[in-house]
Amino acid sequence: MIPPIIPPNAAPGEHLVFQRLASDPATREWTVLHSLELAQHVRQVQGEADFVVIVPGKGIAVIEVKSHRKVTYDEQGWKLGSQRPTARSPFKQADEAMHSVRSYLISRNVQLRDTLFVSGVWFTHTLANLPPSPEWHPWQILDRQDFGRGAGHAILRLLDNGRAHHSRLRALPPVPGPDRQKMDAIAKALRPRVELAAGTADLRRERDAQLTSFLDEQYDALDAMEGNDRVLFTGPAGSGKTFLALEAARREAARGKNGWLLCYNRALGKDLEQRAAGAPGLNAGSLHSTLRSISGLDIPDDAGDSFWQEELVDAALEKLLDAKHERDFLILDEVQDLALPGYLDALDLMVKGGLAGGRCLFFGDFERQALYGLSDSHRALMARTSVMSTYTLTANCRNLPRIGETVKVLAAMSPGYRRFRRQDDGVQPRYYWYRARDEQEKLLGQAIRDLRDEGFGLDEIMVLSPRRVGSAAAACRDKWLRRVLVEASIAAPRGHVGYSTIHAFKGLEAPAVILTDIDEPLLPQFEALLYVGLTRPRDRLSVLATKEAIAPRVIGEQS
């Protein structure tokens, strides 16, 4: 994959295609270029190819990705989602990008006589039931169903059909290209070495891309799913629970089952929904958004705990009693936050056989991450199930070891992680001490600039606070900070730093995290909030705090 990661602000469909191509064993010998800028476009001043897929012995596929959930084509033209109708076909976009790529390679003296070029459009979030048209071939259409047999299979089908079509029009070489040498020449011409040179930030990104491979411990966990209908996976933050939950859901869907992948946190729910898109029969998101969809209730402006925990649940239960929403399997992430009686009543009706007899996989951290007053959530969950196996995850596959050790010290984590998957790079977490809250503004600017100077993009940085109101990021007055900071639940747009509460970012992660407002050790659930915030970064951790709040815990680490 060139580059080895995809920007957070790329379209959801591009994220989906990138992840599926990167993780498909069938693509291991391929080269895939994402977001290839086309300065020499055949039609426009500047264009872009979403994906250029170079497959040895098959050819090159240029893919245009459309993430819209609704696509229509009629006498007014193409209407993609809520966009205004346009006469320009996405197939024309893909074709022009393909010819631009081919023309550029020829201009660079790359020999292409044995190399097939095809173009296609991938409608990642919908079923593309398009009518026959002289503007495209049916084999050029890919949609969400094509993820079922694997992204690699879909690309191979596109290339094979393209070869069959071209063979009817002209003679093709008996031994199709490109071979490995030609693949390298093509990739080098399209993405020169200056773009591929690996700096310190690029090396971190490559390590991030490797996080999709399983640990031996995670292989054991996946095997445990196969022989037991009900399994509870427990483990500290960073041990891969969300990753395993998503993989488990995809495996169930690949068997032709339909089911739910749900969590408590809204932002995590949106993230799961994006990452699960394309898996047939899989409904992913937060429990509250799902219950709202089932019940049809509108959210009142003054919605409080009574609405979310009682009114919404009661309205959904009425709809759930008819079994119309019952599915083959139920997978819950961050289950420690979902073990209220009302939630469990609703979940019981959402899976065939119920919680006690259905196919149910639960992922949670009952020791450290229960932020919503459910101190006895483990017992409440166990009381609603019958025989359930338990599997404990102990290896950290998210954080660099020095961050993990900091978590152990600052959040009084005992025991700590058994081992770390990632290699340590020797960089310590940074502490920025303040005495008064208004001193944080200057320190926050310094922390952001320190990370930027190290090579992190602004959109790779997330600022988190335990405060819902009046956090350092939300209250800043500095002109530069106000220009770059933006409230974001998942990731900030390019060129901006996102900020959020620790509560809202629970279950998510970022390359670099700055914790602010760490000055009230007597705050309810202070240790749990600190623990959740400290475990969000993959590569860099910065902490803005008063010494009175955490310095005694830092002794022996940094003062």
Side-chain angles (χ1 to χ4, degrees):
M1 306 300 293
I2 304 175
I5 63 166
I6 184 169
N9 60 338
E14 293 177 39
H15 273 274
L16 184 59
V17 173
F18 184 98
Q19 291 160 0
R20 295 302 177 84
L21 285 174
S23 61
D24 192 338
T27 68
R28 192 164 297 153
E29 300 299 319
W30 301 9
T31 297
V32 179
L33 286 73
H34 170 251
S35 297
L36 181 67
E37 298 288 343
L38 302 171
Q40 299 179 25
H41 193 271
V42 295
R43 181 177 178 272
Q44 304 174 138
V45 175
Q46 182 85 14
E48 182 185 71
D50 290 337
F51 288 90
V52 178
V53 186
I54 310 169
V55 183
K58 292 288 185 179
I60 296 176
V62 178
I63 308 297
E64 176 74 16
V65 174
K66 297 299 181 186
S67 308
H68 310 84
R69 296 186 179 275
K70 186 177 181 182
V71 177
T72 57
Y73 174 65
D74 54 28
E75 63 274 9
Q76 296 183 12
W78 289 87
K79 193 169 189 301
L80 305 173
S82 59
Q83 294 180 6
R84 296 172 62 87
T86 177
R88 191 168 182 231
S89 159
F91 295 93
K92 187 69 172 175
Q93 288 180 262
D95 184 69
E96 289 174 350
M98 178 193 72
H99 285 291
S100 300
V101 170
R102 192 174 188 279
S103 297
Y104 178 79
L105 290 172
I106 291 172
S107 74
R108 304 297 296 175
N109 298 317
V110 179
Q111 178 55 252
L112 298 174
R113 287 180 185 171
D114 63 343
T115 302
L116 171 73
F117 277 74
V118 299
S119 63
V121 179
W122 206 325
F123 302 93
T124 56
H125 287 66
T126 187
L127 298 177
N129 297 317
L130 298 176
S133 171
E135 295 184 49
W136 62 81
H137 300 287
W139 51 265
Q140 290 180 291
I141 303 171
L142 298 89
D143 62 18
R144 73 182 188 191
Q145 284 187 317
D146 286 293
F147 292 114
R149 296 185 65 180
H153 179 272
I155 298 296
L156 290 173
R157 177 174 60 79
L158 176 67
L159 285 164
D160 288 340
N161 281 299
R163 177 163 292 277
H165 171 73
H166 283 275
S167 66
R168 292 192 290 268
L169 304 177
R170 60 187 174 90
L172 294 175
V175 180
D179 58 18
R180 171 53 60 185
Q181 185 176 0
K182 182 67 64 61
M183 288 178 66
D184 291 342
I186 291 170
K188 195 173 190 178
L190 294 176
R191 283 264 160 90
R193 295 299 298 177
V194 65
E195 190 170 339
L196 297 175
T200 55
D202 295 315
L203 293 175
R204 288 194 300 275
R205 295 185 185 109
E206 289 178 16
R207 289 198 300 272
D208 293 342
Q210 295 169 2
L211 293 179
T212 54
S213 61
F214 290 105
L215 297 166
D216 290 340
E217 181 180 42
Q218 290 171 310
Y219 274 122
D220 294 339
L222 289 175
D223 292 340
M225 296 177 190
E226 305 299 328
N228 300 279
D229 281 337
R230 287 165 302 287
V231 186
L232 172 62
F233 298 87
T234 64
S239 57
K241 297 185 297 298
T242 298
F243 181 71
L244 285 173
L246 185 60
E247 180 64 19
R250 286 173 177 160
R251 288 189 175 197
E252 295 290 326
R255 297 188 183 101
K257 306 291 186 181
N258 59 65
W260 304 101
L261 170 59
L262 304 175
C263 64
Y264 183 95
N265 183 278
R266 185 195 315 172
L268 177 59
K270 290 181 179 178
D271 184 59
L272 289 175
E273 183 181 5
Q274 291 179 5
R275 293 162 67 186
L282 178 58
N283 297 92
S286 71
L287 176 62
H288 292 125
S289 65
T290 302
L291 294 182
R292 194 179 70 192
S293 177
I294 290 172
S295 67
L297 277 188
D298 293 326
I299 305 175
D301 293 335
D302 59 347
D305 289 345
S306 61
F307 172 80
W308 297 110
Q309 297 177 9
E310 298 172 15
E311 295 175 42
L312 178 61
V313 172
D314 291 342
L317 284 171
E318 292 184 17
K319 302 286 187 178
L320 288 168
L321 289 172
D322 62 9
K324 185 172 67 174
H325 301 281
E326 195 176 67
R327 300 288 186 266
D328 297 322
F329 64 89
L330 172 67
I331 298 176
L332 301 180
D333 190 25
E334 304 286 356
V335 68
Q336 73 275 358
D337 297 326
L338 295 170
L340 281 172
Y343 295 157
L344 295 175
D345 288 341
L347 293 165
D348 192 53
L349 295 173
M350 295 171 69
V351 60
K352 294 176 182 177
L355 296 176
R359 174 64 163 154
C360 301
L361 303 175
F362 305 123
F363 297 81
D365 179 358
F366 293 91
E367 298 298 323
R368 311 292 310 170
Q369 293 194 75
L371 295 184
Y372 304 100
L374 304 181
S375 59
D376 209 15
S377 56
H378 184 270
R379 182 178 298 179
L381 178 65
M382 298 301 286
R384 301 296 290 266
T385 60
S386 54
V387 178
M388 183 161 65
S389 301
T390 301
Y391 193 97
T392 302
L393 300 161
T394 59
N396 185 311
C397 58
R398 175 193 295 156
N399 313 119
L400 289 175
R402 296 196 186 213
I403 294 176
E405 292 302 322
T406 297
V407 175
K408 181 178 178 180
V409 172
L410 295 188
M413 184 181 179
S414 180
Y417 298 101
R418 183 166 59 85
R419 61 190 175 100
F420 292 90
R421 178 185 184 272
R422 301 183 60 195
Q423 294 286 331
D424 195 63
D425 64 359
V427 179
Q428 291 279 11
R430 298 185 180 101
Y431 298 93
Y432 300 81
W433 304 113
Y434 64 91
R435 293 184 179 181
R437 289 182 182 176
D438 58 7
E439 296 175 10
Q440 286 192 93
E441 186 169 301
K442 182 179 179 180
L443 296 175
L444 177 57
Q446 184 62 51
I448 293 173
R449 289 183 176 93
D450 287 344
L451 290 167
R452 183 195 61 186
D453 293 346
E454 191 181 345
F456 286 91
L458 292 178
D459 55 336
E460 293 182 302
I461 304 169
M462 179 63 69
V463 180
L464 300 179
S465 171
R467 289 203 180 91
R468 298 181 187 271
V469 178
S471 69
C476 71
R477 293 167 293 179
D478 179 85
K479 289 183 179 179
W480 181 76
L481 283 176
R482 293 184 66 176
R483 187 168 66 251
V484 301
L485 284 167
V486 59
E487 190 170 3
S489 59
I490 299 178
R494 184 175 297 175
H496 293 272
V497 175
Y499 70 89
S500 172
T501 64
I502 293 174
H503 297 81
F505 205 68
K506 189 171 183 286
L508 299 170
E509 59 186 48
V513 167
I514 301 173
L515 287 187
T516 66
D517 307 296
I518 307 302
D519 52 26
E520 291 187 77
L522 299 180
L523 187 75
Q525 301 175 319
F526 175 78
E527 281 195 356
L529 283 166
L530 190 59
Y531 171 80
V532 172
L534 291 169
T535 52
R536 299 309 98 196
R538 295 196 294 269
D539 296 314
R540 291 293 180 268
L541 170 66
S542 302
V543 182
L544 276 62
T546 63
K547 289 189 175 182
E548 292 74 19
I550 64 170
R553 307 167 189 252
V554 188
I555 292 174
E557 193 174 342
Q558 180 179 341
S559 61

